[in-house]
Amino acid sequence: MTSLLDIETPAAIVDVARMQRNIARMQDRMNALGVNFRPHVKTTKCTDVADRQRAAGANGITVSTLREAEAFFAAGYDDILYAVCIAPHKLARARQLRDRGCRLTILVDSIEAAHAVVEAKTGRDPFEVLIEVDTDGHRSGVGPEDARLIEIADALHTGGAALRGVLTHAGNSYELDNPRALERLAEQERALSVRAADRLRAAGLPCPIVSVGSTPTALSARALDGVTEVRCGVYVFFDLFMTNVGVCAIDDIALSVLTTVIGHQHDKGWIIVDAGWMAMSRDRGTARQSHDYGYGVACDLEGHPIKEGLVMIAANQEHGILAARDASVLSLSERFPIGTRLRILPNHACATGAQFSQYHAVADDETETWIRFNGW
Amino acid sequence: MTSLLDIETPAAIVDVARMQRNIARMQDRMNALGVNFRPHVKTTKCTDVADRQRAAGANGITVSTLREAEAFFAAGYDDILYAVCIAPHKLARARQLRDRGCRLTILVDSIEAAHAVVEAKTGRDPFEVLIEVDTDGHRSGVGPEDARLIEIADALHTGGAALRGVLTHAGNSYELDNPRALERLAEQERALSVRAADRLRAAGLPCPIVSVGSTPTALSARALDGVTEVRCGVYVFFDLFMTNVGVCAIDDIALSVLTTVIGHQHDKGWIIVDAGWMAMSRDRGTARQSHDYGYGVACDLEGHPIKEGLVMIAANQEHGILAARDASVLSLSERFPIGTRLRILPNHACATGAQFSQYHAVADDETETWIRFNGW
């Protein structure tokens, strides 16, 4: 893998073999559960990755911004779900995508937004809309038993929008770390979204789609009766946070940051590298989990953790400080001299990826550059 | 300030009047202390901002990456200090800048890097080099009393590099929050860097430059005898972290994130906005300070904090959750209906700015777009 030595540091490295394994694992699971799989491309924002998810059997994509929708539509993706409740002023931009032939589905969770969608309807092509349902209390969505669920659906349907169904995201799964609790939350996510769908149908309203998902629940659900599609994103790269949740192993993590040793503080056992928080992101998600990995775990160029347990214990903008869990490590400057290249596994692949405008995808000693887009 | 209503959200907004006040305050202080001021452009990565710092009297710039050096050199800045100890493989790229006429100064803190600099010397133009001195134990640098200080300097000087002096950054100032402690650390930063310079001179080595700086120490130093230049960056925007350090007020903060209300959770008193951690960054620096501001403080469109004390208590990738310190705030959907625009003051201007590729600079109701570059 000598080609990594020719890449400027810091850089975002994708281990393509690990990524393909992650893609196959999730797609196989979704196939076995009998649901459509619509990956969330907010993690990678990269058509080279999405192409591989699609080739494995994914059908449609999920996005977190209209910028993603526009970029993926330009790359030939035309079945796109924008899974953040829409701000009314963004309806004009969403309309442009539909007018250009993109089958864009939008999301609402309030009567105000439903009215805005109805008012913004122009031409013959109504907006396709899902209603966000809150199945775990962590963020957005209307409760499955809330009277407003029917009011919103009715406002959309009678107003002429194309009501397509319900959507939920069990984001609380990120707080869990044992299989039974994850399985219970996956079942709660399924059951409450199906309950919301049943209420719509009982009220005579259309609900062909029941869309659920998060990486931990998607990997923990035993059955998905009544669910039509699953969405999730971070599974494609995984990260240290997900190892603590318990849904992947360290050697499943497909994203790392390539860095160079630029100094030492011998008395303290510190190795200074040229990847700081600008490269790793400020995400310290593992700080509140069972195992705190600092800003990341140092690996050799092949992607295997350094056996002494080197962790990035602190980071400034362009400096990372690595220290060994095993404080007896001596002769740091001999073992990791200035100029040594290392790879750092990140806490959170979505946040670390966002710090870069390209990935270096490494497969069989060959390196390709894959463009990533950011912004709104 | 109606033009803010025409900007897509989320967006990075610069209050130009506040920024100009911050620029004048720092430059006046540096003039009074009798030192050259070399702003650190890593905070903004924006030539429109640097042009204003230069117009106020700044002389030369500091950068954290060679990408910054290249971009600012292309924009007409030719006196550039790259203030991160250089990785040996980056010397070729640094050399290209010098060959093109950029007066680039580089940094080392080890005998290994000094040897690499000497070996990389080509042509008639030697590298100009500073030695990083560790004056507070927070990161890189060689101790002012360390025997290696003289060894490094001697290796550079006798090897044919242009030894220019010493540099320090009292990063521990970010951990402080009272004026006396800040003043003491500023004096420590000054005294130990001057001590390092004196040792070099006593050994017959050149040391024309003594470069110090961090925003808190630059604003706290009583005298800078023996120091020739000061560097700092975040002062130009300031942020909530710096209000807790005690070197600025809330209404000095010149950077904010424009966002739109997209939903509510009435029972919980939550307002959901379309700026999550992708816009704010994952920086939670104020979590360990005297006042924890979550992911940021919500302001009205004029940039004044909402009187109920709305703070972003949680963030997902494209969702922020605002809640009031005063839990008695009722009728959120009446006071902040869907579609309302707000501005969020950030914890850390360097990290929040990095999430954007442009700023919307607002002055006298006029808005300009200023490009920001990222990456390495």
Side-chain angles (χ1 to χ4, degrees):
Chain A
M1 214 178 276
T2 51
S3 55
L4 286 182
L5 295 175
D6 300 324
I7 296 171
E8 181 60 289
T9 56
I13 307 296
V14 174
D15 181 320
V16 177
R18 291 184 183 187
M19 184 188 81
Q20 290 287 13
R21 203 169 66 202
N22 298 338
I23 288 172
R25 175 185 172 201
M26 184 63 78
Q27 188 66 51
D28 288 351
R29 195 158 211 288
M30 295 301 104
N31 293 347
L33 287 164
V35 292
N36 183 49
F37 182 52
R38 180 186 290 276
H40 207 318
V41 299
K42 78 181 179 71
T43 301
T44 67
K45 303 200 184 192
C46 174
T47 58
D48 298 280
V49 176
D51 290 349
R52 285 159 176 80
Q53 292 168 306
R54 182 166 59 180
N59 188 22
I61 59 170
T62 313
V63 301
S64 67
T65 64
L66 288 177
R67 168 90 179 87
E68 288 163 58
E70 290 160 352
F72 276 92
F73 179 61
Y77 289 80
D78 60 4
D79 179 0
I80 301 179
L81 166 61
Y82 172 38
V84 176
C85 285
I86 195 152
H89 78 266
K90 291 178 182 168
L91 285 164
R93 196 169 159 195
R95 164 60 56 195
Q96 286 176 6
L97 273 166
R98 283 197 70 92
D99 287 348
R100 288 161 54 206
C102 178
R103 189 171 166 201
L104 179 75
T105 300
I106 59 175
L107 187 68
V108 301
D109 76 346
S110 67
I111 193 78
E112 296 87 341
H115 286 150
V117 169
V118 166
E119 284 161 23
K121 179 170 68 74
T122 57
R124 295 154 300 171
D125 175 43
F127 278 114
E128 291 177 78
V129 191
L130 296 179
I131 301 174
E132 184 165 8
V133 176
D134 181 9
T135 56
D136 68 353
H138 85 287
R139 186 175 74 197
S140 304
V142 62
E145 307 294 345
D146 196 314
R148 283 172 296 187
L149 174 67
I150 307 298
E151 288 172 34
I152 295 166
D154 192 59
L156 289 167
H157 186 59
T158 60
L163 177 61
R164 298 285 294 152
V166 294
L167 171 149
T168 197
H169 165 58
N172 270 356
S173 61
Y174 281 53
E175 309 300 320
L176 305 178
D177 63 0
N178 80 75
R180 272 202 301 268
L182 284 165
E183 199 180 301
R184 273 197 303 272
L185 184 57
E187 172 55 19
Q188 175 180 319
E189 182 184 37
R190 183 203 70 78
L192 295 184
S193 55
V194 170
R195 166 65 184 156
D198 287 345
R199 286 188 63 217
L200 293 187
R201 292 170 189 140
L205 293 158
C207 186
I209 293 175
V210 179
S211 178
V212 307
S214 74
T215 285
T217 52
L219 291 171
S220 304
R222 286 218 169 181
L224 287 172
D225 299 350
V227 167
T228 66
E229 77 172 20
V230 170
R231 315 170 323 278
C232 60
V234 76
Y235 81 95
V236 73
F237 283 164
F238 282 125
D239 51 33
L240 294 167
F241 191 97
M242 285 292 142
T243 68
N244 275 328
V245 173
V247 294
C248 70
I250 290 269
D251 66 4
D252 292 326
I253 301 174
L255 179 69
S256 59
V257 173
L258 186 70
T259 188
T260 304
V261 174
I262 59 170
H264 304 91
Q265 291 290 11
H266 302 276
D267 299 347
K268 296 170 179 162
W270 288 358
I271 300 166
I272 315 289
V273 295
D274 71 351
W277 59 252
M278 185 64 85
M280 301 307 303
S281 89
R282 271 294 200 189
D283 199 297
R284 286 285 291 107
T286 62
R288 57 189 168 84
Q289 291 186 304
S290 57
H291 199 119
D292 182 352
Y293 290 109
Y295 282 89
V297 169
C299 297
D300 59 23
L301 275 190
E302 281 69 44
H304 306 303
I306 300 295
K307 67 179 190 297
E308 291 89 349
L310 273 189
V311 167
M312 189 180 288
I313 59 166
N316 294 146
Q317 188 159 337
E318 299 293 347
H319 295 80
I321 299 177
L322 306 182
R325 271 197 295 272
D326 176 358
S328 69
V329 178
L330 297 173
S331 309
L332 286 173
S333 57
E334 285 172 31
R335 178 127 164 66
F336 304 102
I338 286 173
T340 303
R341 306 289 179 106
L342 296 167
R343 287 166 66 174
I344 315 291
L345 302 177
N347 280 322
H348 188 177
C350 304
T352 301
Q355 304 300 101
F356 294 88
S357 58
Q358 60 181 21
Y359 304 102
H360 297 275
V362 181
D364 299 331
D365 287 6
E366 294 293 314
T367 301
E368 277 185 4
T369 300
W370 291 353
I371 299 300
R372 176 196 162 98
F373 44 84
N374 290 304
W376 298 267
Chain B
M1 215 179 275
T2 51
S3 55
L4 286 182
L5 295 175
D6 300 323
I7 296 171
E8 181 59 290
T9 56
I13 307 297
V14 174
D15 181 320
V16 177
R18 291 184 183 189
M19 184 188 81
Q20 291 287 15
R21 202 168 68 202
N22 298 338
I23 288 172
R25 175 184 171 201
M26 184 63 78
Q27 189 66 50
D28 288 351
R29 196 160 209 287
M30 295 300 105
N31 294 347
L33 287 163
V35 293
N36 183 49
F37 182 52
R38 181 185 289 276
H40 206 318
V41 299
K42 78 182 179 71
T43 302
T44 66
K45 302 199 185 194
C46 175
T47 58
D48 297 280
V49 176
D51 290 350
R52 285 159 175 79
Q53 292 169 305
R54 182 166 60 181
N59 187 23
I61 60 171
T62 312
V63 301
S64 68
T65 64
L66 288 177
R67 169 90 179 85
E68 288 163 58
E70 289 160 353
F72 276 92
F73 179 61
Y77 288 80
D78 61 3
D79 179 0
I80 301 180
L81 167 61
Y82 172 39
V84 177
C85 285
I86 194 152
H89 78 266
K90 291 178 182 168
L91 285 164
R93 196 169 159 194
R95 163 61 56 197
Q96 286 176 6
L97 273 165
R98 283 197 71 91
D99 286 349
R100 287 160 55 206
C102 178
R103 190 170 166 202
L104 178 75
T105 300
I106 60 175
L107 187 67
V108 301
D109 75 347
S110 67
I111 193 78
E112 296 87 339
H115 285 150
V117 169
V118 166
E119 284 160 22
K121 178 170 68 77
T122 56
R124 296 153 300 170
D125 175 42
F127 278 113
E128 291 177 78
V129 191
L130 296 179
I131 301 173
E132 184 165 8
V133 176
D134 180 9
T135 56
D136 69 353
H138 85 286
R139 188 173 74 196
S140 304
V142 61
E145 305 295 345
D146 195 314
R148 283 173 296 187
L149 174 66
I150 307 299
E151 288 172 34
I152 295 166
D154 192 60
L156 290 167
H157 187 60
T158 60
L163 176 61
R164 299 285 294 152
V166 294
L167 171 149
T168 198
H169 165 58
N172 270 356
S173 61
Y174 281 52
E175 308 301 320
L176 305 178
D177 63 1
N178 81 75
R180 272 202 301 269
L182 285 165
E183 199 179 301
R184 273 198 302 272
L185 184 56
E187 172 55 17
Q188 175 180 320
E189 182 183 39
R190 183 204 69 79
L192 295 183
S193 55
V194 170
R195 166 64 183 156
D198 288 345
R199 285 188 64 217
L200 293 187
R201 293 169 189 142
L205 292 158
C207 187
I209 293 176
V210 179
S211 177
V212 307
S214 75
T215 287
T217 53
L219 291 171
S220 303
R222 286 220 169 179
L224 286 172
D225 300 350
V227 166
T228 66
E229 77 172 20
V230 170
R231 315 170 322 279
C232 61
V234 77
Y235 81 95
V236 71
F237 283 164
F238 282 125
D239 51 32
L240 294 167
F241 192 96
M242 285 293 141
T243 68
N244 275 328
V245 173
V247 294
C248 69
I250 291 268
D251 65 5
D252 292 326
I253 301 174
L255 179 69
S256 60
V257 173
L258 186 70
T259 188
T260 304
V261 174
I262 59 170
H264 304 92
Q265 291 289 11
H266 301 276
D267 298 347
K268 296 170 178 162
W270 289 358
I271 300 166
I272 316 289
V273 296
D274 71 350
W277 59 252
M278 186 64 86
M280 300 309 302
S281 91
R282 271 294 201 189
D283 199 297
R284 284 285 290 107
T286 61
R288 58 190 168 83
Q289 291 186 304
S290 58
H291 199 119
D292 183 352
Y293 290 109
Y295 282 89
V297 169
C299 297
D300 60 25
L301 276 191
E302 281 68 44
H304 305 303
I306 300 294
K307 66 179 191 297
E308 291 87 349
L310 273 189
V311 167
M312 189 179 288
I313 59 166
N316 295 146
Q317 187 160 335
E318 299 292 347
H319 296 80
I321 300 178
L322 306 183
R325 271 198 298 271
D326 176 359
S328 69
V329 178
L330 296 173
S331 309
L332 285 173
S333 58
E334 285 170 31
R335 177 127 163 67
F336 305 102
I338 287 173
T340 304
R341 306 289 179 106
L342 295 167
R343 287 166 66 174
I344 315 291
L345 302 177
N347 280 321
H348 188 177
C350 304
T352 301
Q355 304 301 103
F356 295 87
S357 58
Q358 60 182 22
Y359 303 103
H360 297 274
V362 181
D364 299 330
D365 287 6
E366 294 293 315
T367 300
E368 277 185 4
T369 300
W370 292 352
I371 299 301
R372 178 196 160 99
F373 45 85
N374 290 304
W376 297 267

